[in-house]
Amino acid sequence: MTNKPMHCGFVALLGRPNVGKSSLINALLKEKVAAVSPKAQTTRNAVRCILTDNTKQIIFVDTPGMHIPKHALGEFMLHEITESLMCVDAVCFVVEAGDRTIGSKEKMIADMLAQMNIPVIIVLNKTDLLDKIEFYKKTAEIYEEALKPSAIIPVSAVTGDNLTLLSDEIAKVLPVQEPVYPPDMLMDSTEKFLAAEVIREKVFMLTDEEVPHSVAVIIDEYKTPEEFPKLKNARISATIIVDRAGQKGIIIGKQGGKLKEIGSAARKELEERTGCPVFLQLWVKVKPNWRKSEDELRRLGYSF
């Protein structure tokens, strides 16, 4: 690890649910490090993802989408956002390039940021959805007036447009110091956490309605040949927690078909991440109203 000083610091990504924060991080790092799905609130924990090159190290803190909490899990997610803001050097406020007004969730974020002395970069994501690229300028004007940001950058996480410009602009507002992490490190998370996120993401992608938001995943066993040389395959066992018996039935599916589909998709990604064959076992358990209980949330790893 080099100790050469460079532009280095922590940067929170804020935005409403499903605005593309996790997709943006994956595109910037050119690696899938954050769970994504078309459904809102896929991200629950503040996750640190690290972009390093010869001149900078940006430690992105991917936060849950801003929303009004409806239960203890929602309170935890809001807590993750506010806690993240207390220990970062800058904020990337991600909005959609096609927005023509500041919505209620964006106003919540803007009000929070207005009370803080911290550099803010407005990221206008999803420019690929605009009929003409110039259409983002109206959105830029709205946020320029509201927040007086350090920079406003139109980008597309899908096409990669302006991502290098974005990382360069972020670096400009970060302190010059020794890097925090080794240059080859992409995430500051445990392998167990990442495995749970992979499985939960597949539940989000492959089930409908309220089911994904009622799901948590616990890793019961995680063993790889790297840790246990006698093993030929990685052995991962996980329990999918749901609110109600009906949700359990949906996740298991007819003759176990849906659970097999979830397991197959998760196994494929876990094999890519671990670099070895994976033996994956999934179980489904009902814990009524787990999202409303702080004690239950702590047992599931959501620590306030």
Side-chain angles (χ1 to χ4, degrees):
M1 175 178 176
T2 178
N3 290 321
K4 177 184 175 182
M6 58 175 59
H7 289 281
C8 173
F10 293 81
V11 180
L13 266 75
L14 300 184
R16 70 173 182 256
N18 213 27
V19 78
K21 300 184 299 299
S22 297
S23 296
L24 189 61
I25 284 183
N26 291 339
L28 282 162
L29 272 63
K30 299 178 181 178
E31 186 84 28
K32 185 177 178 184
V33 291
V36 294
S37 86
K39 300 179 177 70
Q41 297 178 28
T42 304
T43 301
R44 287 179 180 168
N45 301 76
V47 180
R48 292 178 179 179
C49 307
I50 306 144
L51 172 64
T52 306
D53 61 23
N54 292 329
T55 62
K56 59 184 175 289
Q57 183 174 91
I58 304 171
I59 302 135
F60 291 104
V61 184
D62 186 17
T63 63
M66 178 62 76
H67 63 287
I68 299 172
K70 296 180 179 179
H71 39 58
L73 177 59
E75 293 285 354
F76 165 80
M77 292 163 67
L78 184 59
H79 175 78
E80 288 284 275
I81 296 171
T82 55
E83 282 290 299
S84 297
L85 288 176
M86 302 305 293
C87 56
V88 296
D89 301 290
V91 169
C92 283
F93 184 2
V94 186
V95 302
E96 288 198 19
D99 287 350
R100 289 295 173 263
T101 60
I102 298 180
S104 58
K105 297 179 179 69
E106 283 80 8
K107 189 174 187 310
M108 288 174 64
I109 296 171
D111 289 345
M112 291 171 65
L113 296 177
Q115 300 175 38
M116 304 180 68
N117 183 24
I118 188 170
V120 175
I121 294 173
I122 302 295
V123 183
L124 306 178
N125 192 25
K126 304 187 182 181
T127 56
D128 54 292
L129 299 181
L130 300 178
D131 292 332
K132 293 184 179 179
I133 188 65
E134 295 81 8
F135 288 177
Y136 77 83
K137 293 181 179 179
K138 176 62 177 177
T139 313
E141 290 174 5
I142 295 171
Y143 283 96
E144 172 70 35
E145 182 178 350
L147 281 172
K148 303 296 186 291
S150 301
I152 300 178
I153 311 294
V155 305
S156 169
V158 172
T159 65
D161 287 351
N162 280 346
L163 294 186
T164 299
L165 174 61
L166 173 60
S167 65
D168 288 344
E169 287 296 326
I170 293 171
K172 289 179 183 178
V173 301
L174 298 181
V176 175
Q177 58 185 347
E178 293 182 1
V180 177
Y181 293 99
D184 59 348
M185 190 168 180
L186 290 176
M187 290 192 74
D188 184 8
S189 299
T190 66
E191 291 179 336
K192 275 190 172 185
F193 172 81
L194 296 176
E197 286 292 277
V198 168
I199 295 165
R200 193 170 63 85
E201 180 195 57
K202 304 315 173 190
V203 175
F204 259 73
M205 295 292 294
L206 296 170
T207 58
D208 298 321
E209 305 303 331
E210 179 63 18
V211 173
H213 303 289
S214 303
V215 165
V217 176
I218 299 174
I219 301 298
D220 304 305
E221 179 186 44
Y222 188 97
K223 293 181 179 179
T224 66
E226 186 176 358
E227 283 186 285
F228 301 89
K230 291 183 179 181
L231 292 178
K232 294 182 179 179
N233 301 337
R235 296 183 61 86
I236 302 173
S237 177
T239 301
I240 300 171
I241 305 296
V242 295
D243 259 344
R244 300 189 299 275
Q247 295 164 348
K248 178 178 178 178
I250 291 171
I251 289 177
I252 292 175
K254 186 177 181 180
Q255 296 181 336
K258 180 61 68 175
L259 190 61
K260 289 178 183 177
E261 185 181 7
I262 292 167
S264 178
R267 185 183 302 107
K268 181 179 179 181
E269 182 165 334
L270 289 167
E271 288 179 340
E272 292 173 357
R273 287 178 178 264
T274 61
C276 66
V278 171
F279 175 71
L280 176 63
Q281 285 186 307
L282 296 179
W283 311 93
V284 186
K285 185 175 181 179
V286 179
K287 284 185 178 290
N289 297 317
W290 68 265
R291 292 181 296 170
K292 299 180 181 180
S293 167
E294 288 192 15
D295 290 339
E296 195 62 57
L297 285 169
R298 289 189 177 93
R299 281 192 285 272
L300 293 172
Y302 297 101
S303 300
F304 287 81

